[in-house]
Amino acid sequence: MTPITGIIITLDEAENIADCIASLRPVCDEIIVVDSGSRDDTVAIAESLGARVLHQPYLGDGPQKAFAVPQARHDWILALDADERLDEDAVAAIHALPLDDPRQAYRFNRRNFAGHHWIKAAGFYPDPVTRLYNRTTSGYLPKKAHSSVQAPSVVDTHSHIRHFTYRDLSHWITRIDQLSSRDAWAMKERGKGPSRWRPTLHAASAMLRKLILKGGLFQGADGMTVAITTAFHAYMKYAKLNELHENERAAAPTDHA
């Protein structure tokens, strides 16, 4: 089998990192963890399981995922988040791939979970993501939030990654708070200014997209949960962007001359 390097980015992922590494072991003979300052046992656990840990303050989603690529021993890269696992069908699919064309990258379908509940409604499935690619032709875009792999060609493996997105509904809300803060920071970093209307407009657009275009209105409680939380996330990231600009203006020195 063509050798593959697995790459995982982490921050305080002690409860997830061991299972993530274990899921990569059947297909990767090198695993690199890029840690951005974990205060728990993430680094110790990763090193005890044979992963090589690189330390890098958070650069944003795409740059952080790309950081380890030049230091990998192999050209084929398989990227997972710490709360993701290769499903058995993904392991079998990767073993069956020839990996003889560096222009091809490979896509998997994500099964997103809230606790033990697989959420399929309103676009949460199949949630296709490209994660296996050759670094000589492909790589993550330099986006600070919600980056993705850009490749000349993408092949669907018709196999799965399990994504343990949220431990429960309370964790779902907590993650929206965390991710909306990250998204607001990323937007400000790329120069997006404040707007009094964006929070409401983007929240309304997200709600309509999930309820109508993605069919959430007809998919019961899961469909409504996805629509409401997506709209809340959209509202908060733009509201927090406004807040970042307000705080910056408030902190700016005043010219009394």
Side-chain angles (χ1 to χ4, degrees), residues 92-126:
I94 292 169
H95 277 295
L97 293 174
L99 298 184
D100 55 358
D101 185 350
R103 296 168 300 173
Q104 287 187 344
Y106 295 91
R107 182 168 52 222
F108 304 84
N109 294 327
R110 276 200 304 191
R111 301 168 63 208
N112 296 292
F113 289 82
H116 299 290
H117 184 53
W118 177 14
I119 306 288
K120 305 176 188 178
F124 261 45
Y125 184 79

Side-chain angles (χ1 to χ4, degrees), residues 134 138 141 187 226 231 239:
N134 191 294
S138 312
L141 294 168
M187 288 190 292
V226 171

Side-chain angles (χ1 to χ4, degrees), residues 33 41 55 70 95 112 119 136 148 163 170 176 197-198 220 242:
V33 170
D41 293 331
H55 299 273
H95 277 295
N112 296 292
I119 306 288
T136 65
S148 58
H163 185 202
S170 294
I176 288 173
W197 300 111
R198 278 201 201 105
N242 291 345

Side-chain angles (χ1 to χ4, degrees), residues 216-249:
L217 186 63
F218 310 103
Q219 295 171 330
D222 284 352
M224 187 59 66
T225 299
V226 171
I228 290 171
T229 53
T230 303
F232 179 52
H233 186 166
Y235 183 91
M236 290 307 299
K237 72 180 181 181
Y238 285 100
K240 288 180 178 183
L241 174 63
N242 291 345
E243 185 177 61
L244 288 175
H245 283 285
E246 290 170 6
N247 291 342
E248 184 176 64
R249 289 194 298 269

